Amino acid sequence: MIDKVTRVRDLAGAIYMPSFLMATSKGLLIPVFPLYLMTFDISYGIVGLILAAESIGTLVSDIPAGKLLRWFGNKACMLVGVILVTFSTGALFWIDQLLLIFALRLIAGVGMALWGTSRHAYMAEAVSNNRRGRSIAVLGGLGRAGTFVGPVLGGVLGAELGLGKTFLVCSLFSLIGFIFVFYFVSTTRQLESSSGSSDKSLFDVFSTNRRLLIIAGSGQLCAQMVRSARSTIVPLYGGSILGLDVQSIGVLIGFSSAIDVLMSFPAGLIMDRLGRKLAYLPSFILLAGGMLLIPTTTDYWSLQLVVLLMGFGNGLGAGSMMTLGADLAPTHSRGEFLGLWRFIGDGGSACSPLIIGIIAERIGLFGAPVVAAILGLVGVSILGWGVPETLKKSKQTL
């Protein structure tokens, strides 16, 4: 019992609390940043490109981050990642040139790659397979809690203080997260786990795990695209088509995130008791179905119902792709594998705003959700038929 309490306490300070703060910081930007960009009187395509900048920075940094974990350790990579996010987000308050804004979002993406990959590896090392679903689902739930609090708070701050000052609040949240990481993350576990491992090249790691990375990674790519599309399509559709203000959009997204939070622990139980697939397959089906319904909405309340459905679906898959990656990762090259795994998944996040922006510019915001839904259903097909169940059954009662 003492070991269990100690483990939960360590994870709470080292991972859970800073993850909540980082998610809140990111959530603050969801209703604010797209509307802030629209004040520059630019096309949907340019908006999509700048919205994708953070994901692009994360994408190009995921694989190097996996290698940096072996050289510098989880804690150092976490700290550098958080401070990069803090700096680049706060600086948006003083910058009004689109090229510099794009560059700052790229830097934030680099920071998120270091933070996300090192956090993922830390969780994979710290938690056993038959408890991993719940532990990572709690992490996913806290991320969703942040995106519940963040958009609501961002909408209020954007309306009361102006869009620009919200960036300073975002920076403050991530700075507090830095303090938690500094004081609570331990280096002992990583030193023990890496002491007997060899320094494999990324090419060797990819070659050894090629089939898993291509098949499972392709499913994850499509699934993450539909997840990311939700954060782009809902604010743009609500603001441009339905004429909703920033505060209404913040509340809209916040309620959806509340459903995400409520579903996170049940999702973890499903993953640890019944299997990973029974969580993530229904999750992505519901997200795709919600996307198909967005063009049918005509006012705030109809859009709210659809967004709540997608929140339920997204919550059902809380932490599922992180859990799947941790399950598949070999212990002797975990950091490199997770870097590759996150590179593939973040590719979906990076491509999604670009694709949505291009489609919205060419055929309007009514066609973009349909394309996102199709991508989600393709991901469901690949994950359903091409990826094995990764839960290891245990005789011990969970």
Side-chain angles (χ1 to χ4, degrees), residues 58-367:
T58 301
L59 180 66
V60 300
S61 305
D62 276 329
I63 294 177
K67 202 67 178 176
L68 289 171
L69 291 183
R70 185 180 298 277
W71 296 342
F72 300 105
N74 288 332
K75 183 171 184 175
C77 289
M78 285 185 192
L79 289 172
V80 172
V82 175
I83 204 65
L84 285 176
V85 172
T86 301
F87 161 75
S88 58
T89 305
L92 290 172
F93 176 72
W94 290 279
I95 302 298
D96 59 359
Q97 298 179 25
L98 289 175
L99 186 59
L100 291 178
I101 292 172
F102 181 82
L104 287 171
R105 299 313 294 157
L106 284 176
I107 293 172
V110 175
M112 290 303 296
L114 285 167
W115 160 247
T117 305
S118 53
R119 179 189 65 172
H120 198 171
Y122 192 91
M123 289 288 288
E125 294 165 7
V127 184
S128 62
N129 178 275
N130 63 357
R131 291 187 176 275
R132 189 171 289 150
R134 278 166 289 183
S135 297
I136 295 182
V138 169
L139 179 62
L142 287 169
R144 286 154 172 77
T147 55
F148 165 64
V149 175
V152 176
L153 182 59
V156 172
L157 291 174
E160 297 296 327
L161 303 178
L163 301 177
K165 291 183 180 178
T166 310
F167 302 137
L168 296 178
V169 180
C170 294
S171 184
L172 176 62
F173 273 97
S174 56
L175 181 61
I176 299 171
F178 175 90
I179 297 170
F180 273 93
V181 172
F182 183 82
Y183 280 104
F184 286 98
V185 172
S186 169
T187 58
T188 304
R189 181 182 300 276
Q190 183 191 345
L191 291 173
E192 291 174 349
S193 64
S194 63
S195 58
S197 60
S198 58
D199 191 2
K200 283 194 170 186
S201 70
L202 290 167
F203 179 79
D204 289 338
V205 175
F206 177 79
S207 297
T208 304
N209 303 278
R210 180 172 58 251
R211 186 177 182 278
L212 274 177
L213 286 168
I214 291 175
I215 297 176
S218 297
Q220 186 201 186
L221 177 72
C222 294
Q224 299 291 36
M225 286 184 76
V226 71
R227 273 182 162 172
S228 179
R230 185 177 64 142
S231 297
T232 304
I233 289 173
V234 171
L236 290 178
Y237 187 91
S240 298
I241 303 299
L242 301 184
L244 303 179
D245 60 24
V246 62
Q247 191 166 353
S248 297
I249 293 172
V251 173
L252 188 87
I253 297 170
F255 279 130
S256 175
S257 298
I259 300 295
D260 275 7
V261 175
L262 292 175
M263 286 301 301
S264 60
F265 189 72
L269 286 176
I270 292 171
M271 283 193 282
D272 283 345
R273 293 178 184 272
L274 303 177
R276 316 307 196 201
K277 286 191 175 186
L278 286 178
Y280 61 69
L281 292 181
S283 167
F284 297 132
I285 290 172
L286 289 172
L287 279 169
M291 281 291 173
L292 288 174
L293 291 173
I294 284 179
T296 69
T297 62
T298 57
D299 55 19
Y300 172 88
W301 291 108
S302 57
L303 182 60
Q304 179 71 86
L305 289 174
V306 172
V307 173
L308 287 174
L309 173 66
M310 290 194 289
F312 179 84
N314 199 47
L316 188 58
S320 58
M321 292 297 98
M322 285 186 67
T323 302
L324 182 60
D327 289 347
L328 297 174
T331 56
H332 57 275
S333 53
R334 182 176 282 120
E336 291 87 346
F337 182 93
L338 291 178
L340 289 165
W341 177 256
R342 295 183 68 88
F343 171 79
I344 296 169
D346 288 337
S349 298
C351 293
S352 183
L354 290 172
I355 293 173
I356 297 305
I358 292 171
I359 293 172
E361 191 166 350
R362 297 289 177 86
I363 62 175
L365 282 171
F366 290 96

Side-chain angles (χ1 to χ4, degrees), residues 14-57:
I15 300 296
Y16 290 155
M17 183 56 70
S19 293
F20 171 73
L21 291 166
M22 293 289 284
T24 302
S25 174
K26 190 169 184 177
L28 281 162
L29 293 179
I30 292 176
V32 171
F33 197 49
L35 299 182
Y36 174 74
L37 292 176
M38 293 303 293
T39 63
F40 289 89
D41 193 24
I42 53 180
S43 67
Y44 286 133
I46 299 298
V47 171
L49 177 63
I50 298 176
L51 289 177
E54 180 185 353
S55 297
I56 294 170

Side-chain angles (χ1 to χ4, degrees), residues 368-382:
V370 177
V371 174
I374 293 171
L375 289 170
L377 293 174
V378 170
V380 167
S381 301
I382 296 172

